[in-house]
Amino acid sequence: MRARGEVKIELGRRYRFAASHRLHSPALSDEENVRLYGKCNNPLGHGHNYMVEICVSGNVDPATGMIANLADLDGFVEREVLDAFDHRSLNDEVPAFRSEVPTTENLCREIFRRVRAFPQAKLERVRVEETSNNSFEYAGE
Amino acid sequence: MFGKCNNPHGHGHNYTLEVTVAGEPDPVTGMVLDLSELKKILEREVMQRMDHRHLNYEVPELAGLIPTCENVARVIWNLLEPKIAQGRLHRVRLYESADLFADCYKERSNDVKM
C-alpha cells in the first residue's frame, strides 16, 4: 500500500542480446509483405543487436538497501530471456513467434510475459531497442 | 549477497544523475525552471556533498543506509525536492553504470493502490 504523493523507487537494468528475425505475416500476400516490411521481409532473415531494459519496483529492504537482489534478477533474465533469445532465430527458436510476427512490439510483450514471474519485485516495464533509432515499451495490460 | 560490492576497501562508480523537472513554462521566459538555477541547486545539493567522496562515511544523509543505487537516488530526491522552487521535481534517475539505474518519482495518481 502506498499513499498518493509517496516517492516510488524503481530499479532499471539493461541487457543485450543478438538475434535474427524475419518480418512476414501469414495474413498478407507475399507482395503485401514486401510492401509492408521492406528489407525486413528478406526470406533469409536479418539480425539485430537488441538492448533490453527491465524496470522493477518494490519496497527497498532496509536491511539490504535493495528492491531486489541484482544477482538474482540477472540470473532470472539470463535464464528466461537471454539463454532463449541470444544468437538465435526468433522465428524458428522462440515458440511465441511461430504464431506472432517477431516485431519489437511483440518482442517486448514476450519478454514481459517471461520476466513477470520474477518473484522478488514487481515488473513495471520492458523497453527494447532494436537499433539506436527505434525502441518499444510494454508495461503490461 | 553483495559480491564484489562488499570489498572491505570499497569501490567506486562514475555516477550519472538525470533530473527531470515538470511544470508550465513561465509565460515571460518560456522556461519551466531557469536551467542555471537548476545547475546551481545540483552543484550545491549533490555535487558538493557527494562528488569524489566516500558515500559510506562522508555523506551525513546516507548515515545508517547502505549506499545502493536505490538509496542514493532516494537521498538525492529528498535533497532536491524542497529546493525546486519553480515547477516540481518529476524524476530523479541515478545511473550507477550504463546498465544499472534507479528511478525516483512521486506516485502517479493512476498508480495509487489503496
Side-chain angles (χ1 to χ4, degrees):
Chain A
M1 297 288 176
R2 206 176 273 111
R4 189 185 301 263
E6 267 192 50
V7 178
K8 186 166 180 178
I9 304 189
E10 291 180 4
L11 181 74
R13 184 68 158 153
R14 291 180 182 164
Y15 305 90
R16 290 170 182 81
F17 69 88
S20 68
H21 69 172
R22 181 196 185 203
L23 303 186
H24 183 90
S25 171
L28 302 172
S29 71
D30 286 355
E31 294 72 32
E32 286 170 325
N33 269 294
V34 170
R35 250 199 321 276
L36 178 61
Y37 295 119
K39 284 193 294 187
C40 301
N41 184 242
N42 178 13
L44 297 182
H46 64 281
H48 293 289
N49 292 320
Y50 291 95
M51 188 286 290
V52 181
E53 188 179 287
I54 305 284
C55 277
V56 299
S57 68
N59 292 322
V60 177
D61 182 337
T64 65
M66 300 194 287
I67 289 174
N69 185 322
L70 198 57
D72 292 347
L73 179 63
D74 288 353
F76 191 90
V77 172
E78 191 160 331
R79 255 187 338 270
E80 299 298 325
V81 179
L82 304 180
D83 286 353
F85 293 3
D86 189 32
H87 285 69
R88 296 194 184 269
S89 157
L90 297 180
N91 300 65
D92 299 317
E93 296 184 81
V94 177
F97 299 125
R98 299 217 175 97
S99 53
E100 285 177 0
V101 182
T103 57
T104 309
E105 291 91 323
N106 282 335
L107 188 55
C108 277
R109 212 158 43 179
E110 175 60 12
I111 293 172
F112 193 96
R113 283 195 286 257
R114 288 166 177 255
V115 180
R116 188 168 45 191
F118 180 63
Q120 293 181 27
K122 177 177 184 279
L123 178 61
E124 292 285 341
R125 207 162 51 248
V126 169
R127 191 172 75 86
V128 178
E129 287 182 5
E130 185 179 78
T131 72
S132 55
N133 292 332
N134 66 45
S135 72
F136 302 83
E137 258 184 56
Y138 183 65
E141 297 295 333
Chain B
M1 166 73 83
F2 297 113
K4 284 194 293 190
C5 302
N6 186 239
N7 178 2
H9 299 289
H11 63 282
H13 293 290
N14 293 321
Y15 289 94
T16 297
L17 176 64
E18 201 176 278
V19 172
T20 311
V21 176
E24 279 298 312
D26 181 289
V28 175
T29 66
M31 297 190 287
V32 170
L33 169 66
D34 187 337
L35 198 55
S36 67
E37 177 63 21
L38 181 60
K39 268 175 92 168
K40 277 184 220 149
I41 294 169
L42 294 176
E43 174 64 31
R44 197 174 58 233
E45 299 300 326
V46 181
M47 300 307 282
Q48 287 184 15
R49 267 191 183 83
M50 298 185 183
D51 189 33
H52 285 70
R53 302 272 183 193
H54 197 305
L55 299 180
N56 296 68
Y57 303 117
E58 294 185 84
V59 180
E61 290 77 9
L62 279 164
L65 295 172
I66 299 167
T68 55
C69 197
E70 294 94 316
N71 276 339
V72 177
R74 177 62 197 256
V75 163
I76 291 173
W77 173 282
N78 289 346
L79 287 167
L80 293 180
E81 198 193 17
K83 306 292 180 191
I84 306 290
Q86 248 185 307
R88 63 185 165 73
L89 187 57
H90 174 69
R91 190 181 77 179
V92 163
R93 172 173 285 191
L94 182 68
Y95 287 90
E96 189 177 277
S97 73
D99 292 335
L100 179 69
F101 61 84
D103 276 347
C104 276
Y105 53 85
K106 276 274 173 74
E107 190 95 49
R108 292 168 299 230
S109 54
N110 61 358
D111 281 351
V112 175
K113 302 158 199 87
M114 300 302 265

